[in-house]
Amino acid sequence: MAQAATTSTPPTSPVVPGMACQHGRAACADCKVRLLSVCAALNEQELAEIESLSQSCCFAPRSALFSQEQPADAVFNVTEGMVRLYKLLPDGRRQIVGFALPGDFLGLALLDRYGVSAEAVTETRACRFPRKTFAEYVDEKPHLLRRLHEFAGHELSLAQDQMVLLGRRSAEERIAAFLVGLRERLARIGQSSVTLSLPMSRQDIADFLGLTIETVSRTFTKLAKDKVLLVVPDGARIMNPERLEAIARG
Amino acid sequence: MAQAATTSTPPTSPVVPGMACQHGRAACADCKVRLLSVCAALNEQELAEIESLSQSCCFAPRSALFSQEQPADAVFNVTEGMVRLYKLLPDGRRQIVGFALPGDFLGLALLDRYGVSAEAVTETRACRFPRKTFAEYVDEKPHLLRRLHEFAGHELSLAQDQMVLLGRRSAEERIAAFLVGLRERLARIGQSSVTLSLPMSRQDIADFLGLTIETVSRTFTKLAKDKVLLVVPDGARIMNPERLEAIARG
DNA sequence: GTGCATGGTTGACCTGCATCAATGTCGCAG
DNA sequence: CTGCGACATTGATGCAGGTCAACCATGCAC
């Protein structure tokens, strides 16, 4: 369980090996609440209030935050690491519907049951808000609810973009769009670096893009041959951003 | 502009030919506001209030309710007919992200710009709420906002299901899931009938399922050969619901 | 009636990606 | 060190679904 961590962000706040824990454990006490995404809608006092509602918690790679169809008893705000969100078909086929990064909310729809399963990709930290407490707090703060609703709208928009990708685009376009999108998201949360880190496995990428690991691998190789990017262990160095973006937008 | 209408629901409230109009026109005066989906969250007085904020309006087949990237100046609640929601790629490839039926909301995210384009499939009626007015009203009714938020969560869930379909399922499974899903939605709004009406074109179905018209057509033929359904003009008669559902769930 | 446009079906063929299989690499256990 | 398991790459082959093309049915204009 405790092993040298392959962190998603080597330079910033490396995860200490052996800290893997579940919510409420003592080792989590120092996790900092970072309500990155909604803080704009809250003043200092409210931020402190909502912070007091949360428990910090950590997840080792591969551990589940929650599973599809489970009663949705908590909302999460990822503060560090990466989470994959996926659905399974009865025969085991998997579709990853998204990767959550620091600042992202999970379970925000406040529905009775989780619609997807969530699993830590890397060592991950998150704030956990018991759903009831969170819902009660939100119900008293319309401007916060309004902001959450805008968030949901934004997520829906991303899901629709992904539908275009899955329904109408070639393998190369999918890979390019994936890399460009990930780079933009990392940049937005201040994690841009020379090499784009790809902590998820080829299988994860394939299951996100509706491809197979072999096609993902071959496409990376092809893009490398075309001098668009350079595949490195756990990441990629984008050599020709313009070209990559051109492929990404179709 | 005015032509004999191919209605989505032949038996119930046929659309009178020649009534095609844009919002605000006199011919729309008799459109009834049906806030099917949210009315559970509103009492009689509130229902009257919100009704007074809306204009009824009609759309002829192929006419646009709004376009992607346009300023989102209105929210719509479809009351009759069918609307396709889609995104276009620069080269013209189209992905339909959903079909809106009576009771469905459009533009509910209350974002600044529409994320998709919306076009009437059949003669369509809708309630139009100016966005500013709607947003102001909603901001004063937290329980309504809460309900809208749940709605958005439900839509996100549907979008994720569609991602699974587009990323991981065969043509036959897509068609089956599409028919089963449509039948369930029609049943929920009381439009179930012996033959499932399919007012949208083959191209629409193809662009929704990430296929080509030829594959859609062939798959219908195959399902007909297998005695699962019977394709009729503008619709399908499901002969073997159990089998169809089995295919649909994978 | 003819001519034309639109939409759907069917067949023949092609190809992009999946499948199957072999091989390489790394990290870890013993 | 050897052996093993997880993961990635690469090649050979297959096939589901795309592409191209012919054809038919319907509806409308004239």
Side-chain angles (χ1 to χ4, degrees):
Chain A
M1 154 178 330
Q3 59 178 47
T6 317
T7 67
S8 60
T9 54
T12 60
S13 54
V15 172
V16 182
M19 291 255 322
C21 63
Q22 287 300 314
H23 35 266
R25 294 263 208 84
C28 287
D30 64 338
C31 296
K32 288 276 168 54
V33 174
R34 287 201 306 162
L35 288 164
L36 290 176
S37 318
V38 283
C39 60
L42 298 170
N43 62 36
E44 277 302 319
Q45 194 215 323
E46 288 168 334
L47 201 56
E49 278 171 19
I50 200 167
E51 189 170 333
S52 74
L53 301 179
S54 76
Q55 312 158 274
S56 284
C57 51
C58 307
F59 298 89
R62 291 168 179 286
S63 64
L65 280 76
F66 52 80
S67 295
Q68 193 176 352
E69 303 305 334
Q70 259 186 0
D73 45 39
V75 171
F76 293 88
N77 183 249
V78 177
T79 54
E80 213 175 302
M82 182 182 279
V83 175
R84 56 179 159 248
L85 305 172
Y86 62 93
K87 291 204 180 220
L88 291 175
L89 284 175
D91 65 1
R93 282 175 286 179
R94 182 180 70 158
Q95 177 68 43
I96 291 183
V97 300
F99 294 100
L101 295 177
D104 290 339
F105 272 98
L106 308 176
L108 210 56
L110 300 175
L111 300 175
D112 287 340
R113 292 180 178 274
Y114 293 117
V116 297
S117 300
E119 219 172 77
V121 174
T122 62
E123 194 79 19
T124 295
R125 296 180 182 208
C127 294
R128 182 182 187 280
F129 301 85
R131 183 196 169 207
K132 196 159 167 295
T133 319
F134 187 80
E136 281 165 8
Y137 185 79
V138 160
D139 283 342
E140 285 165 21
K141 304 276 179 185
H143 64 304
L144 177 55
L145 180 53
R146 178 61 186 277
R147 183 107 177 91
L148 294 184
H149 185 240
E150 277 169 19
F151 250 75
H154 186 67
E155 277 204 27
L156 180 60
S157 182
L158 288 178
Q160 288 167 339
D161 286 339
Q162 192 68 3
M163 285 165 66
V164 178
L165 184 141
L166 291 170
R168 288 283 168 241
R169 318 193 70 176
S170 70
E172 196 180 38
E173 289 172 339
R174 293 180 200 209
I175 292 282
F178 167 64
L179 294 175
V180 169
L182 187 57
R183 192 181 56 158
E184 275 172 11
R185 291 179 64 198
L186 288 171
R188 213 171 303 135
I189 59 172
Q191 287 193 15
S192 41
S193 70
V194 194
T195 64
L196 179 63
S197 87
L198 299 173
M200 71 290 280
S201 70
R202 293 288 187 271
Q203 188 64 63
D204 285 336
I205 298 174
D207 285 351
F208 182 52
L209 300 179
L211 301 169
T212 59
I213 44 172
E214 292 93 333
T215 299
V216 170
S217 188
R218 274 187 256 269
T219 306
F220 275 147
T221 309
K222 178 177 185 306
L223 288 172
K225 280 209 188 86
D226 296 348
K227 306 217 158 66
V228 175
L229 58 86
L230 206 142
V231 185
V232 295
D234 286 326
R237 185 181 300 254
I238 297 173
M239 311 302 284
N240 190 339
E242 298 76 32
R243 182 84 193 98
L244 191 68
E245 276 156 34
I247 298 172
R249 82 177 69 93
Chain B
M1 143 175 348
Q3 59 179 47
T6 316
T7 69
S8 59
T9 52
T12 61
S13 55
V15 172
V16 182
M19 291 255 321
C21 64
Q22 288 301 315
H23 34 268
R25 291 266 207 85
C28 287
D30 65 337
C31 295
K32 287 279 167 54
V33 174
R34 288 201 306 162
L35 289 164
L36 289 176
S37 320
V38 285
C39 59
L42 299 169
N43 61 35
E44 277 301 319
Q45 195 215 322
E46 288 168 334
L47 201 56
E49 279 170 20
I50 199 166
E51 189 171 333
S52 72
L53 301 179
S54 76
Q55 311 158 273
S56 285
C57 51
C58 307
F59 298 91
R62 293 166 179 287
S63 63
L65 280 76
F66 52 80
S67 296
Q68 193 177 350
E69 303 305 334
Q70 259 185 359
D73 45 39
V75 171
F76 294 87
N77 183 250
V78 177
T79 53
E80 212 175 303
M82 183 182 280
V83 175
R84 59 182 156 247
L85 304 171
Y86 62 92
K87 290 204 181 220
L88 292 175
L89 285 175
D91 65 0
R93 281 175 287 180
R94 182 179 70 157
Q95 177 68 42
I96 290 182
V97 300
F99 294 100
L101 295 177
D104 290 340
F105 272 99
L106 309 176
L108 210 55
L110 299 176
L111 300 175
D112 287 340
R113 291 177 180 275
Y114 293 116
V116 297
S117 300
E119 219 173 79
V121 174
T122 63
E123 195 79 17
T124 295
R125 295 180 183 209
C127 295
R128 181 181 188 281
F129 301 85
R131 183 195 169 209
K132 197 160 166 294
T133 320
F134 187 80
E136 281 166 8
Y137 186 79
V138 160
D139 283 342
E140 284 165 21
K141 305 276 179 185
H143 63 304
L144 177 55
L145 179 53
R146 177 61 186 278
R147 183 107 178 91
L148 294 184
H149 185 240
E150 276 167 21
F151 250 75
H154 185 67
E155 277 203 28
L156 180 61
S157 183
L158 288 178
Q160 288 166 339
D161 286 340
Q162 192 68 3
M163 284 165 67
V164 178
L165 183 140
L166 292 170
R168 287 283 169 242
R169 318 194 72 177
S170 70
E172 196 179 37
E173 289 172 339
R174 293 180 200 209
I175 292 283
F178 167 64
L179 295 174
V180 169
L182 187 57
R183 192 180 57 158
E184 276 171 10
R185 292 179 65 198
L186 287 171
R188 211 171 304 133
I189 59 171
Q191 288 193 14
S192 41
S193 69
V194 195
T195 64
L196 179 63
S197 86
L198 298 174
M200 71 290 280
S201 69
R202 293 289 186 272
Q203 188 65 62
D204 286 336
I205 299 174
D207 285 350
F208 182 52
L209 301 179
L211 301 170
T212 58
I213 44 172
E214 293 93 333
T215 300
V216 170
S217 186
R218 274 187 257 270
T219 307
F220 275 146
T221 308
K222 178 177 184 306
L223 288 171
K225 280 209 189 86
D226 295 350
K227 305 218 159 67
V228 176
L229 58 85
L230 206 142
V231 185
V232 295
D234 286 326
R237 187 179 298 254
I238 297 173
M239 311 303 283
N240 190 339
E242 298 76 32
R243 181 84 195 97
L244 191 68
E245 275 156 34
I247 298 172
R249 82 176 69 93

